[in-house]
Amino acid sequence: MIGLKSTLNVIDNSGAILIECVNVLKQKVNNGWGSVGDEIVCVVKSARPVTAAAAASAVAVKVRRGDVRRAVIVRTRKAVRRPDGRLIRFDDNAAVLLNNKREMLGTRIGGVVSADLRMKGWGKLISIAPKII
Amino acid sequence: MLPRAFRGTARLFSTERLAYPFSSKITTPDPPYESPPESLYHGKGLMEHLHKTLPTPEKQELLATLFSHKHPDRIRPGSVLRVKMEHAPTSFAGVLLAVRRRGVDTSFVLRNIVEGTGVEMQFFANSPHLKEIKVIRDHTGKRGGRSVRRAKLYYLRNSPEKMTAFASGVTD
């Protein structure tokens, strides 16, 4: 249940550490809730410092504090139901940053992600994830 | 009155043991289907009937042993279980935090720390997708686990050190 003002940990190597949700894209209203596999618009609240050399290189996109980006939710503290009735709940809310075309900004994911992403069409993300539960 | 010579032989001549007493190879057909009593159609005793008929015999056995209140082999909170399922992830292991006994709706919650993040999964015992439940570590101190004094171990969510004491080195 991620909504306005919810904070999520970022688990890829795009440079951001903590993001704050601003809008949940699947809902047509402003007070909707997002769950695993939903795309959100977020503001980067804290990010890893970007050195000048890294900023100059075009290999990886590094985000800065205050950037407005998109992200996909990969873990939620609120329990999510699987088709066979199982419930799965994580200890934190986590997301992976995206660009406007639903592609990942970072290149690696560090941490466990929920398998519900596959059902929502994020197969490419799942293939990079180190552990899927 | 039977003649005196035949007094004690009534049991020998009884036909109650075999339907066809002259051969043991003759099998009887299954008893005819008895439709449920009329009161069941009106809703009397419906949940009791469902509790008896809805789970398969294997699941009923599971409910009667692992999830009963007094069986010696019941699973107790604090033990470490491994669950095998049909859908992804096919195997999940963790500390049993809680057992919710509701007959057909019986479920249990396992908690494990995966890649630094705590993950809790609630499994429903009667689900056909649940293939196997295996106890890796028992809850008592004798077989390598810690003893607990609670039915629901939700306090483990806030203390990672107690969590490692329960589930150190347990992987899927």
Side-chain angles (χ1 to χ4, degrees):
Chain A
M1 265 178 81
I2 308 293
L4 185 66
K5 296 299 259 179
S6 305
T7 50
L8 300 102
N9 299 328
V10 177
I11 58 168
D12 60 6
N13 62 346
S14 58
I17 301 172
L18 195 71
I19 54 172
E20 187 186 81
C21 175
V22 163
N23 191 13
V24 179
L25 286 178
K26 67 165 187 187
Q27 309 280 357
K28 294 206 170 67
V29 293
N30 280 338
N31 56 352
W33 303 112
S35 182
V36 173
D38 292 334
E39 217 181 319
I40 61 169
V41 180
C42 59
V43 171
V44 178
K45 283 291 187 184
S46 63
R48 292 210 180 82
V50 181
T51 61
S57 78
V59 172
V61 177
K62 295 287 180 191
V63 297
R64 289 167 203 275
R65 189 168 172 275
D67 275 5
V68 176
R69 301 276 176 177
R70 293 204 174 177
V72 59
I73 303 169
V74 299
R75 294 200 293 255
T76 48
R77 216 176 250 140
K78 174 91 179 119
V80 173
R81 205 130 200 181
R82 293 274 165 90
D84 61 341
R86 275 178 292 158
L87 284 158
I88 179 158
R89 176 174 47 220
F90 296 91
D91 269 4
D92 65 344
N93 303 313
V96 164
L97 291 187
L98 307 171
N99 62 12
N100 286 13
K101 294 195 201 90
R102 282 171 68 112
E103 289 158 17
M104 270 181 68
L105 283 184
T107 48
R108 269 187 275 272
I109 296 181
V112 61
V113 300
S114 176
D116 297 299
L117 287 173
R118 197 178 278 127
M119 289 191 281
K120 300 250 174 135
W122 298 96
K124 198 146 177 235
L125 228 136
I126 285 230
S127 60
I128 314 178
K131 181 88 188 168
I132 308 155
I133 287 273
Chain B
M1 272 299 270
L2 282 172
R4 207 167 163 191
F6 290 113
R7 279 249 180 94
T9 56
R11 198 178 279 179
L12 290 175
F13 289 148
S14 133
T15 53
E16 275 162 22
R17 276 180 295 169
L18 290 171
Y20 186 67
F22 305 109
S23 169
S24 58
K25 292 206 173 89
I26 304 290
T27 53
T28 50
D30 290 329
Y33 172 71
E34 286 170 11
S35 69
E38 187 68 32
S39 56
L40 198 59
Y41 285 100
H42 294 293
K44 286 192 196 301
L46 184 64
M47 290 313 290
E48 213 181 297
H49 175 77
L50 281 179
H51 282 159
K52 285 184 199 146
T53 54
L54 220 53
T56 61
E58 296 86 23
K59 291 289 182 187
Q60 277 181 6
E61 199 192 307
L62 200 77
L63 283 178
T65 55
L66 289 184
F67 293 100
S68 74
H69 281 281
K70 296 231 194 272
H71 197 272
D73 291 337
R74 66 190 185 276
I75 51 174
R76 281 175 282 197
S79 34
V80 180
L81 309 183
R82 176 170 291 131
V83 171
K84 290 221 168 72
M85 300 158 269
E86 276 174 13
H87 298 310
T90 47
S91 172
F92 188 79
V95 180
L96 181 70
L97 289 193
V99 180
R100 183 179 172 270
R101 293 183 181 86
R102 298 284 188 277
V104 170
D105 206 20
T106 300
S107 67
F108 57 101
V109 179
L110 296 183
R111 180 180 168 83
N112 199 0
I113 311 247
V114 181
E115 298 252 341
T117 316
V119 182
E120 280 180 27
M121 266 190 119
Q122 183 173 7
F123 302 93
F124 286 86
N126 280 302
S127 166
H129 306 282
L130 192 75
K131 287 197 296 196
E132 193 200 336
I133 303 173
K134 203 170 114 179
V135 179
I136 306 175
R137 254 181 238 165
D138 203 6
H139 85 297
T140 60
K142 288 166 200 165
R143 270 193 260 169
R146 285 171 62 98
S147 67
V148 297
R149 299 173 65 94
R150 292 261 168 307
K152 306 280 190 283
L153 310 182
Y154 298 136
Y155 63 87
L156 288 180
R157 288 174 184 159
N158 301 325
S159 45
E161 62 279 350
K162 295 199 178 88
M163 192 62 204
T164 46
F166 276 101
S168 51
V170 173
T171 52
D172 290 345

